[in-house]
Amino acid sequence: MQGKALDVTHTDEEWRRLLTPEQYRIMRAYGTEAPGSCALNHEKRPGIFVCAGCGQPLFASKKKFESGTGWPSFNDPLGGAIENTVDRSHGMARTEVHCSRCGSHLGHVFPDGPPPTHLRYCINGVAMNFLPE
């Protein structure tokens, strides 16, 4: 996300104040939460999942599915909410997903999801908040 003008920006110090230590580690330092560790993995109510960094709506609950991976999984983000970059860490190339509004790292997308998109957005639960309908 370097070089892109973002709608929401903060200094590193401000991000550290705004986010919990775990959120900062994941969203700003590109970490990953332990599988099965977030309550949002089990969230089934109608509503919207939003970025924990800036509140931008990311995913509708109707696009959430149980992937068995231990992370909340979705097959389609809301329009314009997500941007992708190539992640070459860990000796492989993966597609990393970020919030398009604040640039926060959310997780990765894989081509092994259900129809109709066949995509699996594997998202760190602490990178999101849930707003029930």
Side-chain angles (χ1 to χ4, degrees), residues 17-132:
R17 281 196 312 265
L18 292 167
L19 302 172
T20 68
E22 184 180 26
Q23 286 174 322
Y24 180 88
R25 181 182 66 78
I26 290 165
M27 298 174 73
R28 306 311 301 177
Y30 303 91
T32 301
E33 68 190 3
S37 65
C38 182
L40 288 185
N41 195 38
H42 306 290
E43 181 60 66
K44 308 258 191 258
R45 295 175 292 171
I48 299 289
F49 293 84
V50 302
C51 176
C54 69
Q56 173 168 255
L58 301 170
F59 298 96
S61 61
K62 65 185 173 188
K63 300 292 184 168
K64 186 173 183 283
F65 67 95
E66 180 54 53
S67 66
T69 61
W71 290 278
S73 296
F74 305 86
N75 68 352
D76 201 14
L78 295 172
I82 302 292
E83 293 195 349
N84 299 334
T85 57
V86 176
D87 173 6
R88 297 193 186 281
S89 65
H90 305 293
M92 65 183 108
R94 299 181 292 173
T95 303
E96 187 171 357
V97 294
H98 304 267
C99 173
S100 66
R101 188 167 174 230
C102 71
S104 291
H105 168 74
L106 301 171
H108 294 86
V109 61
F110 302 96
D112 61 358
T117 67
H118 300 282
L119 296 175
R120 174 176 53 94
Y121 286 83
C122 188
I123 306 299
N124 289 291
V126 299
M128 300 182 294
N129 292 317
F130 180 70
L131 303 177

